[in-house]
Amino acid sequence: MTDPVILTAGTGGTGGAAARTFGRIVVGTDFSPAADHALEVARTRFPGASLHLVHVTDTRVTATPDLGGGLTPGSVDPTLLQTMEDADGGRLARLAREGEETELMVGDPVTGILDAAQRWEADLIVVGTHSQGALEHFLLGSTAEKLVGRSAVPVLTVRLPGGRR
């Protein structure tokens, strides 16, 4: 195993530079091509880091948009939720490589990823970004944007090459 990557960020002036080692990385996934690409970036750019793959089964699928721009929670069918969890758990297990940890949760993806990062004492969160339609962005917002705004640790957002989804 190689040492974790050390990124150095200059101050832009004559001051010193701050070095930051990312040895414990949470990688959030929604199983999209963008998330798969972000996972590959984490694996290749931080070869010595410990990876913790996190997926949050999004309970917002049972919510309906309201006129105020928010969401009205719907009742969660336990059978549907269990089916979703089982499917997501299988997909997450297939993504992980030897030595990588996984965690599957149910709820809000932003809160889940942030909670996992805090519990696991992550140095960095890596997530993929993908284009959304204007209505989807208005109603749900961007998970990556919310993570950047709320995270206590750095967040690396990774876009697919060529703007693919």
Side-chain angles (χ1 to χ4, degrees):
M1 188 181 317
T2 61
D3 290 333
V5 170
I6 298 175
L7 297 181
T8 304
T11 61
T14 58
R20 180 86 191 239
T21 301
F22 300 109
R24 295 177 62 81
I25 301 172
V26 163
V27 181
T29 184
D30 60 2
F31 308 118
S32 67
D36 292 346
H37 180 64
L39 176 57
E40 275 310 304
V41 167
R43 286 173 174 156
T44 58
R45 298 292 171 110
F46 306 100
S50 298
L51 298 184
H52 186 71
L53 284 56
V54 176
H55 174 75
V56 183
T57 301
D58 193 348
T59 56
R60 294 178 301 177
V61 297
T62 62
T64 55
D66 63 28
L67 295 176
L71 295 171
T72 302
S75 61
V76 179
D77 176 5
T79 305
L80 172 63
L81 190 55
Q82 186 62 52
T83 301
M84 289 171 57
E85 282 184 84
D86 291 345
D88 291 347
R91 291 173 81 180
L92 188 59
R94 287 188 296 276
L95 273 183
R97 292 184 180 166
E98 185 176 338
E100 295 175 345
E101 297 181 28
T102 62
E103 185 173 356
L104 178 66
M105 293 174 275
V106 175
D108 169 53
V110 174
T111 302
I113 291 169
L114 291 173
D115 288 349
Q118 182 179 22
R119 273 193 315 277
W120 200 64
E121 298 178 355
D123 304 311
L124 177 69
I125 298 171
V126 176
V127 291
T129 63
H130 41 81
S131 302
Q132 301 181 57
L135 181 60
E136 181 183 17
H137 189 271
F138 175 72
L139 294 173
L140 300 176
S142 164
T143 298
E145 283 177 17
K146 291 176 184 173
L147 284 169
V148 168
R150 292 177 45 194
S151 180
V153 299
V155 177
L156 173 62
T157 60
V158 180
R159 182 173 294 277
L160 273 172
R164 299 177 321 215
R165 289 181 180 216

